[in-house]
Amino acid sequence: KGQLEFHDVSFAYPTRKEAPIFQNLSLLVPAGTIMAVVGPSGSGKSTLVSLLLRLYDPDAGFITIDGHDIRDLNPYWLRSQIGTVSQEPVLFSCSIKDNIAYGAEDPDTVTTEDIYRAARVANAYNFIQGFPKGFDTVVGEKGVLLSGGQKQRIAIARALLKNPKILLLDEATSALDAENELLVQEALERLMDGRTVVVIAHRLSTIQSANAVAVLDQQHVAECGQHAELLGNRQ
Ligand code: ADP
Ligand code: ADP
């Protein structure tokens, strides 16, 4: 479960109808795959995410999750099925524990074990436990310094907490250095667990762990295939 499909989607932003972002874009992301979406800046990678979250609806065509048009789904239910991690992790000035629990549909019912499990999968458990106050460490408190990679892994743990069928990582590692990128990538590989993961990226190194790659270009998917195939095409 978690198959995602764009069917002949056309879309232009309401303020720029003369410059369509997508024309008849079709893309199938089978359940349980990691699909990387790459493409030059401005090719519509973030727009793809906005359409999935229904910040906008397509002008033509439609998007389905497990065969259901997302416009027919309850918006709250839709959001509960999709976890998102963006380029700039947003952490609140409260404990790391509460930052992670924020991802849950009902934060009051979240157990410490749930939080630890999400942190482990996100490769964050060890560094958090390494802080003197552990999971009670308050983000932004004097003396508490979190690196970009640490913040990103906390954001991933939060996205995981609601156990989404679909996880969207929008340039989630592009602001990180190589070492942190690797740690986030390791987390990504463990996220699978039957989940569908869509990784928006502009660096090739980010997509090593993807099963499939879609290249966005000139308003539609220019190429879609296995990772190795596409890399081969480029040589
Ligand atoms: P990418 O993520 O691949 O860099 P985007 O989806 O952000 O591409 O943007 C695709 C195009 O849509 C760009 O030309 C961008 O300037 C334009 N765009 C993005 N957001 C809006 C908006 N809210 N209104 C109008 N144009 C937009
Ligand atoms: P399927 O027939 O694919 O197994 P379900 O029987 O789980 O799907 O759900 C039927 C429809 O109701 C689908 O469109 C599903 O996405 C939607 N749906 C499931 N649970 C909820 C919910 N709690 N709130 C709103 N819509 C839901």
Side-chain angles (χ1 to χ4, degrees):
K1 288 283 194 139
Q3 171 164 300
L4 189 64
E5 191 164 9
F6 285 68
H7 304 257
D8 274 329
V9 167
S10 297
F11 177 72
Y13 282 100
T15 52
R16 290 179 66 208
K17 282 292 174 202
E18 72 287 358
I21 311 296
F22 299 129
Q23 280 183 330
N24 301 99
L25 176 137
S26 292
L27 177 65
L28 170 67
V29 187
T33 50
I34 300 183
M35 166 77 77
V37 177
V38 298
S41 181
S43 60
K45 301 185 295 297
S46 298
T47 304
L48 207 68
V49 172
S50 301
L51 290 176
L52 255 176
L53 295 174
R54 292 202 62 209
L55 302 182
Y56 299 93
D57 281 328
D59 300 318
F62 59 103
I63 302 168
T64 57
I65 292 179
D66 294 328
H68 302 287
D69 188 326
I70 61 174
R71 285 174 299 199
D72 297 335
L73 303 177
N74 174 317
Y76 296 102
W77 189 82
L78 174 68
R79 292 292 178 96
S80 76
Q81 301 300 298
I82 304 179
T84 53
V85 180
S86 57
Q87 179 165 359
E88 275 296 318
V90 179
L91 297 188
F92 308 109
S93 307
C94 57
S95 69
I96 291 178
K97 188 168 67 187
D98 289 343
N99 264 287
I100 296 175
Y102 180 84
E105 237 166 300
D106 181 0
D108 292 338
T109 63
V110 174
T111 66
T112 305
E113 214 24 72
D114 294 333
I115 292 174
Y116 287 178
R117 183 159 30 81
R120 277 192 202 96
V121 177
N123 226 339
Y125 183 82
N126 286 335
F127 85 75
I128 296 171
Q129 287 297 34
F131 292 138
K133 292 194 215 162
F135 279 77
D136 292 318
T137 303
V138 173
V139 175
E141 200 178 45
K142 203 163 178 288
V144 177
L145 260 186
L146 291 166
S147 72
Q150 290 175 333
K151 287 183 192 163
Q152 201 55 290
R153 281 175 277 154
I154 293 171
I156 291 175
R158 176 197 290 157
L160 282 174
L161 202 69
K162 59 182 177 182
N163 201 22
K165 277 201 274 196
I166 296 171
L167 192 69
L168 296 178
L169 305 179
D170 188 1
E171 305 267 8
T173 61
S174 46
L176 303 181
D177 59 32
E179 188 189 337
N180 274 301
E181 184 177 19
L182 193 68
L183 287 169
V184 171
Q185 221 159 277
E186 272 174 29
L188 180 61
E189 277 159 37
R190 276 187 273 147
L191 294 179
M192 281 306 288
D193 196 22
R195 235 182 290 276
T196 306
V197 184
V198 178
V199 189
I200 309 283
H202 65 242
R203 276 191 294 200
L204 267 185
S205 61
T206 315
I207 59 171
Q208 297 300 343
S209 41
N211 314 116
V213 181
V215 184
L216 276 189
D217 206 7
Q218 293 171 339
Q219 302 161 359
H220 60 275
V221 177
E223 294 178 88
C224 189
Q226 300 299 312
H227 187 232
E229 272 171 31
L230 286 182
L231 291 182
N233 288 348
R234 261 129 217 269
Q235 277 159 11

